[in-house]
Amino acid sequence: MEEVTNVTEYQEIAKKKLPKMVYDYYASGAEDQWTLAENRNAFSRILFRPRILIDVSKIDMTTTVLGFKISMPIMIAPTAMQKMAHPEGEYATARAASAAGTIMTLSSWATSSVEEVASTGPGIRFFQLYVYKDRNVVAQLVRRAERAGFKAIALTVDTPRLGRREADIKNRFVLPPFLTLKNFEGLDLGKMDQANDSGLASYVAGQIDRTLSWKDVQWLQTITSMPILVKGVLTAEDARLAVQAGAAGIIVSNHGARQLDYVPATISALEEVVKGAQGRIPVFLDGGVRRGTDVFKALALGASGIFIGRPVVFSLAAEGEAGVKKVLQMLRDEFELTMALSGCRSLKEITRNHIVTEWDTPHAALPAPRL
């Protein structure tokens, strides 16, 4: 096998290895998949303004997220059902994240439980939460995550209903029979029935609470001491409301372009959300990050860090734990190189002036250089 030299190459390897139903589930977006392509394309329209003749012999990529020190601003987004990609599933991902010194977010719909993931050893882990109609299920799950040592909740807020993913409808997607949604196994919610369309869409329609609103973000704070990240914000208005509701942070996300098609790329929505949050809480980005240059662009636009989703499942499918480790290492190396070539030695030195976007006014008055 040819040596993998960038993150994107894992997708083709995964496509060859995985059953069509599984690959399509991971790879596809909603409806026309316009946003799926745009999540990537929007990065390519942001250009660099590198600063030269700066001593870049030492580069510090470390940062803190909700008070937790991590090695780099690159973290693992929640992705469901990882054992469909590789038998070790979430166990392998957790070990890779821990080895890289970064944060893993475990999906509610994982094929390994919070306790099983905790058993892989030390590591900073967040738990992604879907709010079920039965709030006792939610309260129990949050308590279990907290007991298992998870440090934060990433509350997904863009899924009152599942987006229309046509490949899943054509394939009659269903969780393979030898797997279960492990966090719900004891609650009789761990299996997914075959449906006339997408088994997951039917599961969501039956179990996930469409009445979810800001008051529930406040309710969650009464049942846990874990900080809450609101995942799925795309507007300044909702950023302000997230701050008011007591969120500890925001993840700018369009659910990997799997929910509402024709929303902007997350990198295009990021600056608006950052402005809406007014520096009161950190803003993170998820969606379309495949290169170290993408990470730099997100930080230049005000993100405190980024999350990767599909690259994890594709590399997991290709090479298991070693694949996920390699993805994290490649992104780290590329990001470090981008910082060096842009003249930035630490994350705080990455500024808005290091990039230029389509929406910038040409020749904006920039500060005079100081030597």
Side-chain angles (χ1 to χ4, degrees), residues 114-349:
V114 288
E115 293 84 3
E116 287 171 334
V117 169
S119 78
T120 62
I124 304 154
R125 300 186 187 103
F126 294 172
F127 181 70
Q128 176 271 333
L129 182 68
Y130 280 119
V131 176
Y132 280 62
K133 289 174 181 170
D134 182 343
R135 293 309 165 90
N136 293 325
V137 166
V138 178
Q140 199 180 110
L141 196 52
V142 168
R143 268 200 305 276
R144 280 172 55 200
E146 199 158 6
R147 265 207 309 274
F150 284 70
K151 300 300 186 210
I153 295 285
L155 176 68
T156 298
V157 294
D158 57 12
T159 312
R161 301 172 55 172
L162 202 71
R164 182 176 172 85
R165 307 164 191 175
E166 291 175 5
D168 292 349
I169 297 169
K170 283 189 169 68
N171 295 333
R172 303 270 189 267
F173 173 80
V174 71
L175 182 64
F178 56 91
L179 296 174
T180 59
L181 301 179
K182 260 293 194 320
N183 287 315
F184 300 97
E185 203 173 33
L187 301 159
D188 276 338
L189 295 167
K191 282 287 177 201
M192 202 177 289
D193 301 321
Q194 193 73 55
N196 297 326
D197 52 0
S198 153
L200 186 62
S202 302
Y203 179 86
V204 168
Q207 302 301 337
I208 303 304
D209 194 344
R210 295 183 186 183
T211 73
L212 190 70
S213 69
W214 288 107
K215 68 171 174 5
D216 299 294
V217 178
Q218 287 157 326
W219 168 74
L220 264 179
Q221 292 167 76
T222 68
I223 66 163
T224 181
S225 59
M226 287 185 286
I228 294 160
L229 296 170
V230 178
K231 178 175 185 281
V233 172
L234 291 170
T235 64
E237 296 91 313
D238 284 336
R240 285 186 208 101
L241 290 172
V243 170
Q244 283 165 27
I250 288 168
I251 303 174
V252 175
S253 172
N254 52 34
H255 210 117
R258 294 158 74 79
Q259 283 298 104
L260 180 61
D261 200 13
Y262 298 99
V263 293
T266 49
I267 195 67
S268 307
L270 175 61
E271 197 163 31
E272 171 183 332
V273 174
V274 167
K275 284 176 177 155
Q278 296 177 310
R280 313 236 305 259
I281 56 176
V283 175
F284 304 94
L285 173 129
D286 129 307
V289 174
R290 301 293 179 270
R291 285 279 188 189
T293 49
D294 301 334
V295 180
F296 186 101
K297 289 169 184 180
L299 268 62
L301 285 168
S304 293
I306 65 91
F307 289 86
I308 49 166
R310 286 188 186 87
V312 172
V313 287
F314 292 148
S315 59
L316 187 62
E319 293 170 7
E321 183 182 338
V324 181
K325 278 188 171 139
K326 179 143 192 201
V327 156
L328 290 167
Q329 188 62 49
M330 285 189 294
L331 282 173
R332 181 190 175 87
D333 291 345
E334 289 179 12
F335 177 53
E336 183 175 23
L337 181 59
T338 305
M339 284 179 69
L341 297 180
S342 295
C344 299
R345 294 162 292 198
S346 67
L347 303 191
K348 68 172 189 299
E349 290 189 349

Side-chain angles (χ1 to χ4, degrees), residues 29-46:
E31 296 182 355
D32 297 330
Q33 305 191 110
W34 182 86
T35 298
L36 184 66
E38 181 66 5
N39 268 355
R40 287 294 309 125
N41 293 338
F43 277 109
S44 69
R45 299 193 298 267
I46 299 170

Side-chain angles (χ1 to χ4, degrees), residues 41-61:
N41 293 338
F43 277 109
S44 69
R45 299 193 298 267
I46 299 170
L47 304 180
F48 291 124
R49 302 182 67 251
R51 300 301 306 276
I52 46 133
L53 292 172
I54 292 165
D55 174 356
V56 289
S57 56
K58 287 191 180 64
I59 294 207
D60 177 15
M61 290 180 284

